[in-house]
Amino acid sequence: MRKPQLLVAALVLLAATSSLVYAKVVEYEWVVDYAWAAPDCVEKQVISINGEFPGPNIRSVAGDTVRVHVINRMPTEAVVIHWHGMLQTGTPWEDGAAYVSQCPIDPEDEYTYDFVTENAGTYFWHGHYGMQRAAGFYGQLIVDPPENFTEPFKYDGEHSIVLNDWWHASMIDQQLGLFSVPFRWVGEPQSLLIEGRGRYNCSLMAGGSACNATRESCKLHVMPVEAGKTYRLRIASVASLGSFNFILEGHNFTVVEADGHYVEPVTMSDIDVYSGESYSVLFTANADSSRNYWAGFNVRGRDPKTLTGLAVLQYVNTSGEPSTPAPVSPRWNDYAYSVAKARQYLARKEFIVPLPQRGPDRQIFLLNTQNRVNGRLKWALNNVSFVPTATPALAALKYNITVEAHGGHSSATPPDYFQEGYDIMKPPPYPETVQGSGVYELKGDQVVDIILQNACSLTANVSEVHPWHLHGHDFWILGYGDGVFNASKDYASLNYYNPPLRNTAPLFPFGWTVLRFVTDNPGVWPFHCHIESHFHMGMGVIFAESVDKLPDVPTDTMGCGATKFYRSP
Ligand SMILES: *[C@@H]1O[C@H](CO)[C@@H](O)[C@H](O)[C@H]1NC(C)=O
Ligand SMILES: *[C@@H]1O[C@H](CO)[C@@H](O)[C@H](O)[C@H]1NC(C)=O
Ligand SMILES: *[C@@H]1O[C@H](CO)[C@@H](O)[C@H](O)[C@H]1NC(C)=O
Ligand SMILES: *[C@@H]1O[C@H](CO)[C@@H](O)[C@H](O)[C@H]1NC(C)=O
Ligand SMILES: *[C@@H]1O[C@H](CO)[C@@H](O)[C@H](O)[C@H]1NC(C)=O
Ligand SMILES: *[C@@H]1O[C@H](CO)[C@@H](O)[C@H](O)[C@H]1NC(C)=O
Ligand SMILES: *[C@@H]1O[C@H](CO)[C@@H](O)[C@H](O)[C@H]1NC(C)=O
Ligand SMILES: *[C@@H]1O[C@H](CO)[C@@H](O)[C@H](O)[C@H]1NC(C)=O
Ligand SMILES: *[C@@H]1O[C@H](CO)[C@@H](O)[C@H](O)[C@H]1NC(C)=O
Ligand SMILES: [Cu+2]
């Protein structure tokens, strides 16, 4: 059902420095439209591709060009696609972030994404306009290493799953609720999905055929295994809200890859997966082979109100679902457990990418707070809650197109620091904040440190997990800590030897996370909390990197906002 729709696989000759390599073009035609789907037995409207939900998977080899012709057939809604984890070196306009890298693709319009998959690994793609990811607009993107490359581990077979949380309320209802006064919270998810399949408890729903537990579409995902063999299981989370903890009943597993980078093998009985992250784990099918087992995940970081998301690890193809109870995860708010787990990921010895030989050229401290603007609930960084403009920032910066601040939003450059002495343990004393569309301008060839500082939300004693995702780069996670980051003390505690390279990093409640990257990829890159509602409520910033070195921007990414007045020379 989820076969990749490969149209063309052309061979293109690429001249490498010392030798010749063959790289393919993998080409797809994707028609985007609304569709009915019942992933958890309850039917609702989703965003589909070529009629499929979740969307098709892409598989390529590192160095291949991926070319996706997107045709938007949604009658009243524009669309973009973000290729999560792709660095887009030299092609920042293909990053697929609405109003940052391009104008969204209008109804009945088309756009062709064209980019090179640079690093092998487990990735995914998803909508990046409004809250379209929450409407089911996502799929896998797996990049295999080139044929002459030997991975540092072996396996006999592979499975790949995407985890997600799922609501019966439509994306529009959810979005309107977030912007309503008073705030209308959609609540905890109705279901947790593995590969777009889950199961809502139909007896909780009033009569009618809305919930039908015998639908094909909500048959749990099945992962067949043969006893004695070792499998690579790729796991990614596109969650809208929750952090997850994933378990393979009766099996431990060894984590070997995180966000497209090999990590020192670490064996676990359960793994935390934050929205925006991906992992590969290896497990051997060495449990009692006369029965099947659950693959399951539970919500962490929020008091769980949703049944475990389940799939079947199938040894015996005739024995159906296990009769054992669903896997139980560690206590949802045992953050010490989660921090300790996060600290276990280290770059794999043979694959350490050394840090630059110098300290940071720029430090950006980002205080994460929950705020209000005219009674509306918002999230802010250093007291600025991000709102997109109607003009893609990339083209505006490249062509010096003046973007007027509108609706009272500030276009000022946001600050690199927050007020010293801010009490992160208490709700903000002055919750009102400003909305802004300003960008952080980063010069080229700089070592940039981002110090993410968590704080109390508007509710006393509550601080949430925020998984931060950067476009256009992988960063080193130098460390995690509790309380307020103290540069003169905490810099000495960071890992400068083998920190993992990632594209997503959790920020734990009342704590800090330090990230480092080098500005070697001219572009305009969002850096944001990957929780769909948080980003929508302002929890993000934009890095405009080496604007002076930006290449010409294809005109088909423009045409909206102030770019409609731009005429290419
Ligand atoms: C694989 O082949 C490419 C192109 O010939 C070459 O650049 C690269 O170094 C090779 N890698 C290994 C691990 O042999
Ligand atoms: C489904 O809901 C019914 C009615 O509330 C309840 O009795 C039953 O235990 C639920 N089933 C599960 C698996 O939670
Ligand atoms: C439930 O779905 C099954 C299979 O699709 C179908 O045969 C049956 O008629 C449906 N039941 C109701 C009440 O709609
Ligand atoms: C998983 O690892 C733990 C800790 O080493 C061990 O106690 C447990 O027996 C292992 N479980 C399985 C199924 O191998
Ligand atoms: C079950 O597995 C056996 C052996 O691999 C195979 O021959 C058979 O067709 C499978 N049956 C089903 C229903 O998939
Ligand atoms: C960009 O536009 C501003 C305002 O119109 C002008 O002052 C500035 O010189 C322009 N910069 C470049 C590089 O063209
Ligand atoms: C945030 O901005 C508001 C309005 O300008 C101000 O009242 C408040 O003190 C600021 N808070 C912080 C933490 O700077
Ligand atoms: C917050 O925590 C403090 C210290 O544990 C406690 O004294 C206080 O009552 C808590 N406040 C609320 C609203 O729970
Ligand atoms: C930061 O750490 C230094 C060195 O341990 C200490 O002297 C200083 O008081 C700390 N600052 C704060 C604000 O805690
Ligand atoms: Cu967040």
Side-chain angles (χ1 to χ4, degrees):
M1 185 190 162
R2 302 192 55 197
K3 275 182 268 135
Q5 283 123 354
L6 200 60
L7 287 184
V8 192
L11 284 179
V12 177
L13 198 58
L14 287 180
T17 35
S18 56
S19 53
L20 292 174
V21 200
Y22 286 96
K24 292 196 299 308
V25 178
V26 289
E27 201 159 354
Y28 302 83
E29 186 175 285
W30 283 5
V31 176
V32 181
D33 202 351
Y34 300 120
W36 297 108
D40 67 345
C41 309
V42 179
E43 192 166 69
K44 68 171 282 195
Q45 176 224 72
V46 300
I47 300 178
S48 70
I49 287 181
N50 303 340
E52 282 182 49
F53 163 84
N57 297 335
I58 289 181
R59 187 126 197 174
S60 81
V61 174
D64 283 356
T65 292
V66 168
R67 191 171 293 154
V68 183
H69 306 283
V70 176
I71 301 160
N72 182 10
R73 293 269 186 255
M74 292 189 291
T76 55
E77 190 173 345
V79 77
V80 291
I81 300 178
H82 171 55
W83 314 96
H84 187 108
M86 297 296 104
L87 299 176
Q88 300 292 3
T89 306
T91 51
W93 47 83
E94 305 294 35
D95 184 48
Y99 299 121
V100 180
S101 47
Q102 70 173 113
C103 297
I105 309 160
D106 280 330
E108 299 304 327
D109 209 348
E110 311 186 356
Y111 181 79
T112 299
Y113 289 97
D114 199 319
F115 57 91
V116 174
T117 55
E118 295 166 69
N119 296 329
T122 306
Y123 307 100
F124 48 93
W125 59 264
H126 60 78
H128 211 294
Y129 182 32
M131 291 173 61
Q132 289 176 339
R133 197 176 82 231
F137 194 40
Y138 62 84
Q140 300 171 7
L141 200 180
I142 293 171
V143 182
D144 289 310
E147 242 170 59
N148 66 352
F149 177 85
T150 310
E151 292 199 289
F153 44 80
K154 287 198 160 51
Y155 50 93
D156 307 305
E158 183 181 307
H159 287 291
S160 187
I161 52 176
V162 175
L163 314 181
N164 195 19
D165 40 15
W166 194 251
W167 284 259
H168 295 159
S170 75
M171 169 194 77
I172 306 285
D173 283 1
Q174 294 184 39
Q175 186 171 303
L176 180 61
L178 297 175
F179 281 20
S180 295
V181 181
F183 189 67
R184 287 210 214 173
W185 178 231
V186 66
E188 297 303 315
Q190 271 73 48
S191 307
L192 300 177
L193 308 183
I194 297 183
E195 274 305 274
R197 288 159 180 275
R199 192 173 292 158
Y200 187 65
N201 182 351
C202 285
S203 47
L204 297 175
M205 256 183 143
S209 59
C211 192
N212 181 344
T214 63
R215 281 182 211 273
E216 277 297 313
S217 63
C218 58
K219 281 211 169 122
L220 297 181
H221 180 66
V222 174
M223 296 187 279
V225 293
E226 257 180 72
K229 298 219 158 140
T230 296
Y231 292 86
R232 178 183 194 156
L233 174 61
R234 300 175 188 263
I235 309 168
S237 169
V238 297
S240 290
L241 178 66
S243 306
F244 298 147
N245 180 267
F246 177 87
I247 293 173
L248 274 182
E249 183 195 6
H251 300 73
N252 288 336
F253 45 74
T254 302
V255 186
V256 291
E257 181 223 331
D259 295 0
H261 294 276
Y262 300 119
V263 292
E264 275 296 311
V266 39
T267 300
M268 307 183 171
S269 55
D270 61 274
I271 183 173
D272 288 339
V273 187
Y274 300 92
S275 181
E277 289 189 336
S278 54
Y279 293 95
S280 285
V281 305
L282 300 180
F283 70 93
T284 301
N286 56 7
D288 169 5
S289 64
S290 66
R291 53 164 282 213
N292 294 338
Y293 297 83
W294 291 120
F297 72 102
N298 297 294
V299 167
R300 279 178 81 64
R302 313 180 61 84
D303 194 353
K305 305 250 187 308
T306 314
L307 293 175
T308 305
L310 294 170
V312 177
L313 187 65
Q314 186 189 63
Y315 281 71
V316 190
N317 64 8
T318 48
S319 79
E321 291 177 9
S323 52
T324 42
V328 177
S329 291
R331 184 164 51 82
W332 67 270
N333 56 357
D334 187 352
Y335 295 115
Y337 184 91
S338 292
V339 176
K341 265 186 136 45
R343 286 192 174 127
Q344 288 185 288
Y345 300 119
L346 301 169
R348 190 169 176 129
K349 256 195 308 296
E350 319 87 282
F351 297 93
I352 294 173
V353 179
L355 290 162
Q357 289 295 308
R358 61 181 200 277
D361 301 308
R362 173 105 177 248
Q363 288 163 297
I364 301 177
F365 293 77
L366 294 174
L367 176 68
N368 290 232
T369 52
Q370 198 181 33
N371 300 79
R372 289 191 193 285
V373 173
N374 300 326
R376 281 194 177 140
L377 197 60
K378 296 286 169 191
W379 291 92
L381 287 314
N382 297 351
N383 218 8
V384 180
S385 183
F386 177 74
V387 272
T389 59
T391 304
L394 176 67
L397 286 157
K398 167 67 188 174
Y399 298 114
N400 199 21
I401 299 167
T402 308
V403 178
E404 296 295 337
H406 56 89
H409 304 151
S410 164
S411 57
T413 302
D416 282 14
Y417 300 91
F418 56 92
Q419 173 200 322
E420 215 178 309
Y422 180 87
D423 187 352
I424 66 150
M425 299 310 289
K426 296 219 175 80
Y430 306 103
E432 199 65 14
T433 195
V434 294
Q435 287 181 283
S437 310
V439 300
Y440 286 90
E441 295 216 26
L442 306 180
K443 284 189 252 170
D445 300 317
Q446 294 223 305
V447 178
V448 177
D449 279 8
I450 307 293
I451 299 98
L452 291 165
Q453 178 65 61
N454 214 339
C456 189
S457 71
L458 288 172
T459 310
N461 295 346
V462 173
S463 181
E464 296 188 22
V465 177
H466 303 289
W468 278 84
H469 171 63
L470 178 59
H471 294 220
H473 288 276
D474 294 325
F475 46 66
W476 291 280
I477 304 180
L478 298 186
Y480 306 93
D482 281 333
V484 179
F485 182 78
N486 177 341
S488 55
K489 172 165 70 73
D490 294 323
Y491 258 110
S493 75
L494 303 179
N495 177 4
Y496 301 103
Y497 168 60
N498 59 351
L501 270 170
R502 305 287 303 254
N503 62 53
T504 304
L507 173 62
F508 294 102
F510 299 110
W512 50 261
T513 299
V514 179
L515 314 175
R516 179 170 291 184
F517 67 98
V518 177
T519 52
D520 54 7
N521 190 9
V524 179
W525 308 114
F527 176 53
H528 62 93
C529 176
H530 209 262
I531 293 175
E532 193 79 311
S533 50
H534 289 190
F535 183 40
H536 206 59
M537 293 158 78
M539 199 162 210
V541 299
I542 305 293
F543 294 138
E545 175 178 343
S546 309
V547 164
D548 53 320
K549 296 200 194 76
L550 281 175
D552 261 314
V553 176
T555 49
D556 61 353
T557 65
M558 300 188 236
C560 56
T563 58
K564 61 178 164 256
F565 304 113
Y566 177 75
R567 294 283 171 270
S568 56

